[in-house]
Amino acid sequence: MPFRERYTGLINRYRDHLPVSDDTRIISLGEGNTPLIRLKNIPQMLGKDVDIYVKYEGLNPTGSFKDRGMTMAVTKAVEEGSNAIICASTGNTSAAAAAYAARAGITAFVLIPEGKIAMGKLAQAMMYGAVTIQIRGNFDEGMELVKQVAEQAPVTIVNSVNPYRLQGQKTAAFEIVEELGRAPDYHCLPVGNAGNITAHWIGYCEYSAQKGTRVTESCAFCDGNCRYAGGPVIGSRPVMIGYQAAGSAPFVRGEAVKNPDTVATAIRIGNPQSWDRAWKVKEESGGWFDELSDADILAAQKLLAQREGIFCEPASAASIGGVMRDVQSGRIPEGSTIVCTLTGNGLKDPDTAIKQCGDSRMVTIDANLASVKDAILGIL
Ligand SMILES: *Cc1c(COP(=O)(O)O)cnc(C)c1O
């Protein structure tokens, strides 16, 4: 007898809230169930009375929240008889698609923008055995091509336009509510295609509503009679805040951005696929969108690593940088409980990390005791 039930992934955990049946063959790598870590030093630095938690999605099996959506999307693709999946990706979707396809024994095709995905993500797509198609173009162009080719070839799209993706991703909100015993006051995320902010909102709405009601207009499955609603805490939902990179901020501009650019490659998207849904999230939750410069994003990434011991990728740090600014200004009031989603693991993008640590404390010395001693005593 095991001491406690073995965790076997989010579909098994939240079966009653997801579009699966008892006969569904589940494709899982044990995704979900990620730590919710309470920050200690950054709130103190801000000098404000706020509780900030980070949901460390970088600890999913392929190192990003995309696994939550991909376990659902691939499970349903296989259930529906598909032998191949396809996605356009800034990197993490391709890593997740490749891994879950490998697990399922089907083929993954991934379209990535040449030269614009982080090294770790490229390594993953190749290692998991996806057919990796680099395009001389950006994510938005890749996305359009994927939608067109899926009409002419027997491949299932597993980008977040696939509604099962958001169904899987909504479970992050369930986990947060269960752990806090309520929804946070504010939930902050980096926004690219805007699937994840929408998925979280669906999750919070369902968990705070009675079964059989309309929970949110943002949900593709909501017909006014939600089958998946009903959670442990009724009537508790956060304000949703989406942060974008300034060079890639269509929600802040109010229109698509032609040539998006940012060091945070995971959110280098100018034409978000969940445009309408994400606006509804903002309206229904009373939230907002805002932008950060690349410098602010990188500073937040480094601060989180050096003050809290948590290494996320640049895109993920947008939520930390944004929260710091909004807490400082009082837009997020004192007394608030805040959750930031750390969407991906810092190890995904070692190049950007090393580059911005040029001023680091690395020294090179001869291999003898005196030199090591000098190096240490010079710092202490
Ligand atoms: C995909 C991704 C995002 C953006 O999520 P959307 O659902 O496209 O808004 C942010 N950060 C990381 C690390 C990602 O992989």
Side-chain angles (χ1 to χ4, degrees):
M1 269 289 280
F3 291 105
R4 61 182 168 83
E5 202 178 321
R6 202 167 71 84
Y7 181 80
T8 54
L10 61 84
I11 296 181
N12 272 333
R13 171 77 183 78
Y14 293 110
R15 211 170 240 294
D16 296 347
H17 298 272
L18 293 167
V20 288
S21 74
D22 291 346
D23 303 330
T24 306
R25 176 188 154 212
I26 291 168
I27 314 297
S28 171
L29 292 165
E31 59 294 312
N33 199 21
T34 54
L36 185 67
I37 306 166
R38 189 175 180 206
L39 298 189
K40 287 210 177 320
N41 299 319
I42 290 179
Q44 209 166 48
M45 242 179 69
L46 293 172
K48 299 275 190 181
D49 173 26
V50 286
D51 247 344
I52 307 176
Y53 294 84
V54 294
K55 182 74 168 156
Y56 194 13
E57 292 288 279
L59 293 188
N60 274 296
T62 78
S64 87
F65 75 83
K66 299 295 197 306
D67 294 341
R68 289 184 189 271
M70 207 53 75
T71 184
M72 268 306 307
V74 174
T75 290
K76 294 304 283 188
V78 168
E79 183 172 62
E80 288 160 10
S82 180
N83 290 313
I85 58 174
I86 189 166
C87 64
S89 178
T90 59
N92 282 331
T93 303
S94 59
Y100 285 82
R103 180 79 168 176
I106 62 175
T107 305
F109 297 96
V110 304
L111 266 75
I112 55 173
E114 185 188 24
K116 292 291 180 184
I117 89 165
M119 196 53 78
K121 304 176 189 181
L122 182 61
Q124 287 180 294
M126 294 170 74
M127 192 69 193
Y128 291 129
V131 180
T132 306
I133 305 169
Q134 297 205 63
I135 59 164
R136 295 184 200 95
N138 62 25
F139 170 85
D140 300 300
E141 292 167 298
M143 190 66 239
E144 282 316 307
L145 289 167
V146 161
K147 287 199 273 191
Q148 286 167 21
V149 83
E151 286 177 10
Q152 298 176 21
V155 288
T156 304
I157 300 184
V158 294
N159 282 102
S160 54
V161 294
N162 176 327
Y164 297 121
R165 278 276 309 277
L166 302 199
Q167 288 294 306
Q169 286 167 217
K170 74 185 181 184
T171 59
F174 296 168
E175 292 174 13
I176 291 164
V177 170
E178 286 169 13
E179 211 154 318
L180 295 178
R182 48 166 281 207
D185 299 308
Y186 294 86
H187 190 121
C188 309
L189 308 95
V191 168
N193 253 327
N196 209 26
I197 193 170
T198 305
H200 276 78
W201 182 240
I202 293 170
Y204 283 122
C205 289
E206 286 184 1
Y207 237 35
S208 69
Q210 310 279 2
K211 241 188 186 39
T213 54
R214 167 173 285 283
V215 299
T216 167
E217 288 188 38
S218 298
C219 182
F221 288 82
C222 193
D223 53 3
N225 179 21
C226 183
R227 280 163 292 167
Y228 310 125
V233 187
I234 300 296
S236 172
R237 303 190 305 190
V239 171
M240 304 294 293
I241 310 174
Y243 295 110
Q244 303 211 276
S248 181
F251 285 103
V252 181
R253 306 280 164 268
E255 60 183 10
V257 170
K258 252 263 146 54
N259 293 304
D261 206 12
T262 169
V263 68
T265 50
I267 50 173
R268 188 173 173 271
I269 294 173
N271 186 20
Q273 297 298 305
S274 292
W275 181 257
D276 293 340
R277 292 213 172 101
W279 282 112
K280 289 216 179 86
V281 171
K282 171 190 172 301
E283 281 165 28
E284 290 181 7
S285 77
W288 61 84
F289 296 109
D290 208 344
E291 63 186 309
L292 284 96
S293 67
D294 278 5
D296 285 351
I297 287 173
L298 292 177
Q301 184 196 19
K302 202 165 165 182
L303 191 76
L304 188 67
Q306 301 198 342
R307 294 298 183 92
E308 302 282 1
I310 302 168
F311 188 19
C312 67
E313 66 174 283
S316 314
S319 62
I320 296 295
V323 159
M324 288 174 53
R325 194 170 60 198
D326 284 340
V327 165
Q328 205 94 66
S329 74
R331 193 170 190 188
I332 297 177
E334 290 203 66
S336 298
T337 297
I338 306 157
V339 172
C340 293
T341 302
L342 296 183
T343 46
N345 196 304
L347 292 172
K348 294 269 193 178
D349 192 354
D351 298 341
T352 304
I354 291 170
K355 228 181 272 165
Q356 69 158 319
C357 292
D359 62 338
S360 81
R361 304 162 123 189
M362 183 152 89
V363 293
T364 305
I365 56 164
D366 292 330
N368 62 58
L369 180 59
S371 302
V372 176
K373 210 165 123 188
D374 280 353
I376 291 171
L377 294 178
I379 283 169
L380 285 179

